[in-house]
Amino acid sequence: GKREGRGTFRFFEQKMDEELKERVTLEIALRHAIQSGEIRPHYQPLVALPSHKLLGFEVLARWYHPQRGIISPDIFIPLAEDSGMITELCYGLLRQACADARSWPGDLGLSINISPYQFKDRLLAARILSILRETGFDARRLEIEITESALTNDIEVARATLGVLQSAGVSIALDDFGTGYSSLYHLRELKFDKIKIDRSFVQSLENQESAKIISAIIGLGQSLGILTTAEGIESTTNSEWLAARGCTYGQGFLFGPPVPASGAAKLIENTAPT
Ligand code: C2E
Ligand code: CA
Ligand code: CA
Ligand code: CA
């Protein structure tokens, strides 16, 4: 009856209240975390195929929460985007990553994810270049990874931003390729240096359709003069299959998971030519 309904409503109200409180608590904690350096870059190796030669690292953010332990970016990146903190978070990570990468051999690159929200800022390119100048990190060693959703707002602004970065020597990778709605449109309208094939395709390679789609993406890249990275490679079988089809770069647990700066340094040391 009516009374029961009201009880249920109150229950939901209470639950929403708790969720809201939890969200606000996390948001306050995140603001503090960004300012106090609890968000740190981890680094995942990017390799050449078929040689498996180390070429650089993708920066993947981790939140070292003093009570909760390491929090995944899938939780705090959306929160940072919704609360307008993503820009500050990203620039902090970029600064830290450039500082870490300064002690790496000069041929190793750094790849960083830029959120769609950051594309609303017309000064995005200028800010990135100014961090490069400030840290003394060579623009030609930096790649930025963007997803299609970054491009949907205003293609002219995106074109201008990417153009400024590319003329300075920064490479642009189209991330999670194959999962968006208008990938081909974006490939026609904008100039990319690299396509990153989404790991959902790579991880379902035993599926005939996935395999054909991957082959087609690699071929598409080749005919447009765009290099391809396959994400989420976990087995030698997959790595060999991809290399045989002309995929030039690989990333995945087979080559190494994301690790802190000390882990990246160790990996570099162990792969250095003797
Ligand atoms: P992404 O850019 O697609 O990053 C690749 C994700 O795949 C990472 O998850 C990585 O740990 C995971 N991965 C790599 N190799 C393998 C593999 O072989 N198997 C499996 N199962 N997974 C693999 P992670 O680090 O949890 O990051 C999740 C997403 O969060 C990223 O997806 C990216 O969209 C976002 N993200 C992470 N750091 C940042 C950041 O600093 N800024 C922004 N804007 N987004 C970030
Ligand atoms: Ca990425
Ligand atoms: Ca990706
Ligand atoms: Ca992703």
Side-chain angles (χ1 to χ4, degrees):
K2 229 176 194 168
R3 192 171 281 157
E4 197 181 287
R6 203 171 286 152
T8 317
F9 180 71
R10 200 161 287 143
F11 169 75
F12 279 124
E13 210 177 28
Q14 213 166 39
K15 199 158 173 276
M16 271 177 61
D17 233 40
E18 276 161 27
E19 275 169 21
L20 189 66
K21 260 187 220 146
E22 159 75 9
R23 208 197 120 95
V24 171
T25 308
L26 207 59
E27 204 177 296
I28 292 168
L30 181 60
R31 199 172 298 280
H32 171 264
I34 293 169
Q35 281 153 10
S36 63
E38 281 171 23
I39 314 275
R40 297 187 206 141
H42 274 203
Y43 300 95
Q44 185 175 32
L46 296 161
V47 306
L49 295 181
S51 69
H52 294 194
K53 180 182 188 284
L54 181 67
L55 298 177
F57 294 90
E58 177 175 358
V59 178
L60 292 160
R62 296 290 182 269
W63 181 357
Y64 285 72
H65 193 286
Q67 280 86 40
R68 300 186 196 202
I70 295 183
I71 300 180
S72 152
D74 287 329
I75 293 180
F76 68 82
I77 295 287
L79 186 64
E81 288 174 339
D82 290 345
S83 53
M85 293 186 262
I86 189 70
T87 302
E88 194 188 342
L89 189 153
C90 172
Y91 296 144
L93 281 171
L94 180 60
R95 232 175 247 117
Q96 184 59 55
C98 288
D100 288 340
R102 257 199 311 243
S103 60
W104 302 348
D107 55 343
L108 291 181
L110 198 59
S111 203
I112 193 158
N113 295 285
I114 300 292
S115 157
Y117 286 73
Q118 298 180 254
F119 270 79
K120 292 183 186 140
D121 177 10
R122 283 168 189 270
L123 292 176
L124 173 63
R127 290 189 216 275
I128 290 173
L129 295 180
S130 116
I131 292 172
L132 292 178
R133 266 194 306 277
E134 188 188 301
T135 55
F137 192 76
D138 187 347
R140 284 165 302 185
R141 289 174 67 189
L142 182 71
E143 178 168 83
I144 70 164
E145 301 191 1
I146 57 175
T147 56
E148 265 186 62
S149 40
L151 309 167
T152 45
N153 282 333
D154 187 338
I155 194 103
E156 291 310 322
V157 173
R159 201 198 308 280
T161 301
L162 300 186
V164 171
L165 289 169
Q166 282 171 321
S167 349
V170 177
S171 306
I172 313 293
L174 186 52
D175 205 358
D176 301 348
F177 190 81
T179 59
Y181 292 108
S182 42
S183 313
L184 298 178
Y185 168 77
H186 290 122
L187 280 187
R188 189 189 67 194
E189 294 300 314
L190 298 164
K191 185 172 157 282
F192 294 97
D193 301 283
K194 203 183 276 173
I195 291 171
K196 294 191 80 172
I197 305 170
D198 192 68
R199 77 169 191 257
S200 60
F201 292 106
V202 178
Q203 296 190 329
S204 58
L205 246 181
E206 67 287 348
N207 174 311
Q208 286 283 313
E209 275 64 45
S210 282
K212 285 177 191 162
I213 291 170
I214 291 181
S215 294
I217 295 175
I218 296 168
L220 180 66
Q222 283 169 341
S223 57
L224 292 170
I226 303 174
L227 299 165
T228 41
T229 301
E231 301 182 317
I233 302 177
E234 295 182 3
S235 69
T236 7
T237 320
N238 284 0
S239 159
E240 281 165 5
W241 187 92
L242 288 155
R245 268 142 199 94
C247 184
T248 38
Y249 303 112
Q251 180 177 6
F253 295 164
L254 176 66
F255 314 110
V259 289
S262 57
K266 241 174 245 149
L267 199 79
I268 292 166
E269 209 177 291
N270 293 339
T271 55
T274 42

